[in-house]
Amino acid sequence: MTSTAGGAGRLLAISDLHIAYEENRALVEELRPGTDDDWLLVAGDVAESVSSIEWALKTLAGRFRKVVWVPGNHELWTHPSDPVTLRGVARYEHLVEMCRRLDVLTPEDPYPVWEGPGGPVAIAPLFLLYDYSFLPEGCATKEEGLAYAHGTGIVCTDEYLLHPDPYPTREDWCRARVAETEARLAALPEDLPTVLVNHWPLDRHPTEVLWYPEFAMWCGTRLTADWHRRFRVEAMVYGHLHIPRTTVHEGVRFEEVSVGYPREWRKRPHPPGRPRRVLPREA
């Protein structure tokens, strides 16, 4: 854990930039901090290709005091259009090394401490994946859930492009990440609040508004359902759902900060591409 002063800045968050879309790439080109001390949390799904991910994070790291990134499922895809053909853990580690060259913090680095307004809080970037435990109603196993999803036609592209190598399955990779991360969070000082940043929500409740409830299977794990209570969480920042909003669950703020696809954000009343302020807390 490292301590880094936040000055008079703001702790901001955004996710699901999806810059393969030209309109979204333009949003990143226009994105600027409000003060010289602003930090930016990037909660995954920047892009599918390593070169595009690097461009976006390099651009943002050159503007914000500190950028913190966690992977989403799209970064972990081994997409046929990407010259980088690494799979699974090797792909993730490649992205981590890229971030270190850019001075962007990742889940593999010591947790920084935000000491600006609303601090001090430990900023914990997480990479946890999912384990198919958010099952559709009436399904008791992963196999039943997947069969139901295939029957409705709502199947996440992860099933074809997100490889868990060298783990046998994505849920095995998830459980290993959860165990490792839980130990790190438990080692934090007991009087230090946290902001947890993960691409997928740490509790199932945000998925209750999905148009297609079966998609929840690719949205997290029940293993983290009590983390917002256990680890003194000031805010849980996530994306993935493309439903930007603030909810309060058991007294804890859950901030969904995604931009989403142009066809989605064009329908919203507010301009797209604006990061959410996490700290100091909005009135």
Side-chain angles (χ1 to χ4, degrees):
M1 187 169 61
T2 60
S3 181
T4 308
R10 303 168 302 163
L11 183 64
L12 305 172
I14 199 165
S15 78
D16 295 77
L17 293 167
H18 292 293
I19 65 166
Y21 293 88
E22 287 300 322
E23 300 99 317
N24 284 30
R25 189 181 182 95
L27 295 176
V28 173
E29 290 173 339
E30 297 167 3
L31 185 55
R32 297 290 192 285
T35 80
D36 291 340
D37 290 320
D38 285 357
W39 288 21
L40 184 65
L41 311 176
V42 181
D45 277 10
V46 173
E48 293 77 28
S49 72
V50 170
S51 61
S52 292
I53 299 164
E54 182 172 15
W55 173 83
L57 293 179
K58 183 178 181 179
T59 298
L60 297 172
R63 297 172 181 169
F64 288 82
R65 178 73 173 270
K66 181 60 66 178
V67 171
V68 180
W69 166 83
V70 301
N73 53 314
H74 282 238
E75 283 102 335
L76 299 171
W77 287 357
T78 304
H79 199 280
S81 67
D82 190 356
V84 179
T85 59
L86 295 169
R87 293 162 57 116
V89 173
R91 182 175 180 86
Y92 171 59
E93 291 176 345
H94 181 77
L95 292 170
V96 168
E97 289 306 312
M98 179 198 74
C99 285
R100 286 175 172 164
R101 293 195 300 271
L102 300 175
D103 194 29
V104 170
L105 293 179
T106 77
E108 305 311 305
D109 297 311
Y111 297 149
V113 176
W114 167 260
E115 293 180 339
V121 297
I123 309 300
L126 314 178
F127 167 40
L128 302 174
L129 273 170
Y130 50 84
D131 63 0
Y132 302 90
S133 56
F134 294 173
L135 288 166
E137 186 176 356
C139 297
T141 65
K142 170 190 172 182
E143 291 71 25
E144 290 181 8
L146 287 176
Y148 178 82
H150 279 278
T152 66
I154 305 301
V155 179
C156 185
T157 306
D158 292 5
E159 294 298 309
Y160 312 103
L161 297 181
L162 201 167
H163 307 288
D165 313 23
Y167 292 94
T169 66
R170 283 177 286 275
E171 55 265 41
D172 288 319
W173 193 6
C174 169
R175 289 161 190 158
R177 294 294 314 183
V178 167
E180 176 185 341
T181 305
E182 187 173 26
R184 287 187 65 189
L185 291 173
L188 288 171
E190 293 185 359
D191 60 347
L192 184 62
T194 64
V195 169
L196 303 185
V197 188
N198 190 51
H199 182 62
W200 300 268
L202 296 184
D203 181 79
R204 184 169 183 165
H205 83 269
T207 71
E208 293 170 356
V209 297
L210 289 172
W211 280 106
Y212 303 102
E214 55 270 40
F215 189 75
M217 283 191 294
W218 295 276
C219 293
T221 169
R222 294 170 62 184
L223 295 172
T224 59
D226 64 348
W227 283 20
H228 60 286
R229 299 193 305 271
R230 289 178 56 197
F231 298 121
R232 308 165 302 283
V233 175
E234 172 66 25
M236 195 276 124
V237 175
Y238 68 101
H240 191 54
L241 304 185
H242 294 195
I243 308 172
R245 59 179 182 147
T246 301
T247 58
V248 177
H249 180 61
E250 298 180 334
V252 176
R253 262 189 305 151
F254 280 66
E255 299 279 4
E256 210 282 11
V257 298
S258 60
V259 174
Y261 303 129
R263 67 175 183 271
E264 295 167 328
W265 55 251
R266 286 194 195 104
K267 300 175 184 177
R268 298 171 188 151
H270 305 294
R274 293 185 176 181
R276 186 85 49 84
R277 193 175 84 189
V278 179
L279 291 174
R281 185 170 182 169
E282 298 278 2

